[in-house]
Amino acid sequence: MTYGWFFNQARPGDRARESQVDKFFKSDAVQNPANAVVREGTQNTLDAVTAGGTAKVRIGLHTVTDPGCGGKYFAGLFEHIDPLRANHKLVDAPFPNEGCGFLTFEDFGTSGLGGDPGQWWPKEGVSNPFFNFFRGEGITDKEGGNRGRHGVGKFVFAAASRARAIFGLTIRADGRRLLMGTTVLKLHSIAGEHFMPDGWFGARGENDLVIPVESDSLVDDFATDFRLARTNQTGLSVVVPFLDPSVTADAVIEAVVRGYFYPILRGELVIELATDNWPQPLVIDAQTIQTVMGARPELAASMKPLLDLAIWSLANANPPALLPPAGGAPKWESALIPDGTKKDLQKLMADGDRMSFRASANVRPKAGQGQVSHFEAYFIRDPACDEGQIAFIREGIIVSNVRPRRCGGIRGIVLIDDEPLATFLGDAENPSHTDWQKDSVKDKYFLAPSLLSYVIESIPSVIRILGDEDEKTRRPLWGDLFSLPIEAAEGAKGKKKKPKVEPGDEKPIVPPIPPGKAKRYRVDKTDGGFILRRGAPEAAMPPIIEVSAAYGVRKGSPFGRYSTEDFVFGKKPIDVVTSGAEQVEAKENVLTLRITDPDFEVFITGFDPNRDLEIRPIVKEAEDGHQA
């Protein structure tokens, strides 16, 4: 049977489509191809490993210098790459006569890609990992309880190839060895014939479907030529040919340490790295990770304190439990911390010791029953950490771009392993697993933005509550943690600057309300923003609230002197998180909100914390503009 690379010709009526999935992995948090490959590939391995087992990943960085070897596995590919290179649509495309640097990514302790390899279209209720990996885009069998579920993570491998191509060799529990390749190029034409961007390596079967190669001789040659460690073990070996030169051994090591230190320390993951220059693979496991990190001073400087905290958390895995929030949107309040726990934490903070707590909240999917779930936080005061460092770890994955409000002088880790909350946060993640996005879950869960904020702001909120409990303790210990001075230096006239009001301080800054009229909303300032929430319990729910904001000025009206250079609602860095409210309009410094729940909360952040912020809410009875 003839094998090689095959592309389908475009037919009249086909959609001219350029795949956009690679854009999911171009964020600052992913940083580079090495980081993306390690994050996505390892996450897939952790999902596929046998329950209770240890996931093992072997990564290889090698080079094939014999062009004849390239011709053996790339027949039919370069005739489709050449016109894209000529038209500058694939500017880094390789040439057919150059050597081939490549990466191998092999998982062990997994069962390989099951399913019918001849299936070419998704079937309802039929699980087919082979189809999902090679033929699907945005299609996955993964659901809650799995770390990844978007069906696009595999594309990071192709994005790391200058030919945008990968090979996959899977050995399955049924004993079959299947070799196939895939690429996602661009729409292109050859001699007047138009071709779709997708190509496959394999053999032509019925109806011109490309099917995997099962020839023992070719599979054996492939395993030898590409230095695979797999012999007869079940699992998947991915080969990325014409590797992006930025994927180096040091880049891979840094990605492993930064992205997966916790499951490695917990004994759930072992990673080996092999290169042509090393006599033996480098093993990164619970016993060696600190040595590997310590040999790289820049990496150790930023990561050693987190690893030390993670090691302590594993030895102290029963933190004191806080009380669950009352019904409605979860929010941090002093009453959630029992008095005894509060005193213990205050003493630990004063002594510079490590602290921890377990917090719980109700996860309420709109389809299904709500469940109380929990997460754990471990943290320590570290004056050397000016900006603060809090890592969020969902089921072993570092969700690296989650940013709580500034918590200078604090290092911490937040662990989410309990299934209901881990499922919620997994649903909230972007495809590259670097951030939690409220828009991804607000239609699936009740009070989703508030629950996200409850987890993200957990450590800063607990620290602030502890500090607010004792003013004497607060001055020396807490004043440098949040960029909110407790007592400003006296100015030219000897006046002291009033402290900014934080959520829970019960000091509303709303305009005066006429006697006899219950307050319908409350505004509390936070670091870099404010919270608009329900007012008096007996007050009627306001249908519409129009919020104007402006930075304070020495003379005149701050609202009259507002400039779009200060900020604009609807544009970064201003962020609006709503619970029980909807945005109607965002225009310059005016935000219009429709209130849908009496217990509404609107978190608005991203303002300059070094400038005074003036806020002017106006209640409107209807969208016709009638004011309350």
Side-chain angles (χ1 to χ4, degrees), residues 295-319:
R296 293 157 178 82
E298 187 174 340
L299 179 62
S302 62
M303 293 302 297
K304 187 178 186 304
L306 279 185
L307 262 70
D308 290 343
L309 193 59
I311 292 169
W312 180 78
S313 76
L314 292 171
N316 296 269
N318 189 27

Side-chain angles (χ1 to χ4, degrees), residues 272-350:
E272 291 184 357
L273 176 61
T275 76
D276 290 333
N277 301 320
W278 297 348
Q280 296 292 332
L282 174 69
V283 178
I284 307 177
D285 60 14
Q287 287 71 46
T288 64
I289 186 171
Q290 294 189 82
T291 301
V292 171
M293 178 188 65
R296 293 157 178 82
E298 187 174 340
L299 179 62
S302 62
M303 293 302 297
K304 187 178 186 304
L306 279 185
L307 262 70
D308 290 343
L309 193 59
I311 292 169
W312 180 78
S313 76
L314 292 171
N316 296 269
N318 189 27
L322 308 187
L323 300 175
K331 54 188 177 183
W332 284 101
E333 298 176 319
S334 178
L336 300 185
I337 308 178
D339 290 341
T341 300
K342 197 175 295 179
K343 291 178 181 178
D344 290 343
L345 291 174
Q346 286 174 329
K347 184 178 187 306
L348 290 170
M349 175 67 81

Side-chain angles (χ1 to χ4, degrees), residues 536-612:
E538 66 273 16
M541 183 181 78
I544 302 291
I545 299 180
E546 183 182 273
V547 183
S548 300
Y551 290 129
V553 293
R554 291 188 177 182
K555 293 183 179 181
S557 168
F559 301 99
R561 297 197 175 189
Y562 161 79
S563 169
T564 55
E565 294 181 359
D566 292 337
F567 63 86
V568 175
F569 282 123
K571 294 185 179 181
K572 292 295 184 182
I574 304 302
D575 189 29
V576 179
V577 178
T578 62
S579 175
E582 299 173 351
Q583 291 190 51
V584 176
E585 184 180 27
K587 186 176 181 181
E588 296 185 347
N589 68 328
V590 180
L591 179 68
T592 304
L593 301 161
R594 179 187 295 109
I595 308 304
T596 60
D597 189 308
D599 291 319
F600 66 92
E601 286 188 319
V602 182
F603 297 77
I604 306 176
T605 58
F607 298 97
D608 186 345
N610 297 314
R611 299 180 67 179
D612 291 331

Side-chain angles (χ1 to χ4, degrees), residues 340-522:
T341 300
K342 197 175 295 179
K343 291 178 181 178
D344 290 343
L345 291 174
Q346 286 174 329
K347 184 178 187 306
L348 290 170
M349 175 67 81
D351 293 342
D353 290 338
R354 299 180 179 97
M355 296 157 283
S356 63
F357 62 82
R358 173 178 291 186
S360 59
N362 195 11
V363 181
R364 299 172 55 196
K366 292 184 177 180
Q369 290 292 111
Q371 292 179 276
V372 175
S373 189
H374 66 268
F375 63 94
E376 298 174 0
Y378 300 82
F379 54 106
I380 187 172
R381 186 165 187 259
D382 183 354
C385 185
D386 292 340
E387 295 299 319
Q389 185 183 28
I390 299 178
F392 294 84
I393 309 174
R394 179 189 66 86
E395 299 174 293
I397 295 178
I398 309 293
V399 188
S400 54
N401 208 31
V402 175
R403 296 287 185 266
R405 68 174 179 256
R406 186 181 182 276
C407 195
I410 290 292
R411 295 188 195 270
I413 56 176
V414 177
L415 306 177
I416 309 98
D417 288 315
D418 196 46
E419 184 172 338
L421 188 56
T423 297
F424 165 76
L425 294 173
D427 289 342
E429 275 169 28
N430 59 350
S432 55
H433 306 289
T434 57
D435 202 359
W436 292 325
Q437 302 172 334
K438 60 182 181 296
D439 289 342
S440 299
V441 286
K442 65 181 183 181
D443 293 331
K444 296 177 64 176
Y445 295 86
F446 293 105
L447 303 174
S450 296
L451 183 55
L452 270 179
S453 178
Y454 187 74
V455 176
I456 293 171
E457 300 297 341
S458 55
I459 290 179
S461 297
V462 167
I463 289 174
R464 192 175 299 281
I465 289 170
L466 295 176
D468 287 347
E469 291 295 310
D470 187 346
E471 190 68 18
K472 292 182 180 180
T473 303
R474 186 182 183 190
R475 280 194 174 94
L477 285 181
W478 318 91
D480 60 339
L481 296 183
F482 293 95
S483 297
L484 288 179
I486 303 307
E487 214 171 72
E490 291 192 8
K493 297 183 179 180
K495 294 182 179 180
K496 294 182 179 180
K497 186 177 179 181
K498 293 181 180 181
K500 293 184 179 180
V501 182
E502 296 301 325
D505 282 349
E506 305 298 325
K507 297 177 182 178
I509 58 170
V510 298
I513 296 177
K517 188 174 183 180
K519 299 177 182 179
R520 303 175 73 178
Y521 61 82
R522 191 178 94 207

Side-chain angles (χ1 to χ4, degrees), residues 58 65 122 144 176 192 229 244 272 291-292 528 531 534 583 618 623:
R58 181 183 172 100
T65 56
R176 297 177 71 178
D244 186 305
E272 291 184 357
T291 301
V292 171
I531 304 173
R534 178 179 181 171
Q583 291 190 51
I618 298 175
E623 293 183 50

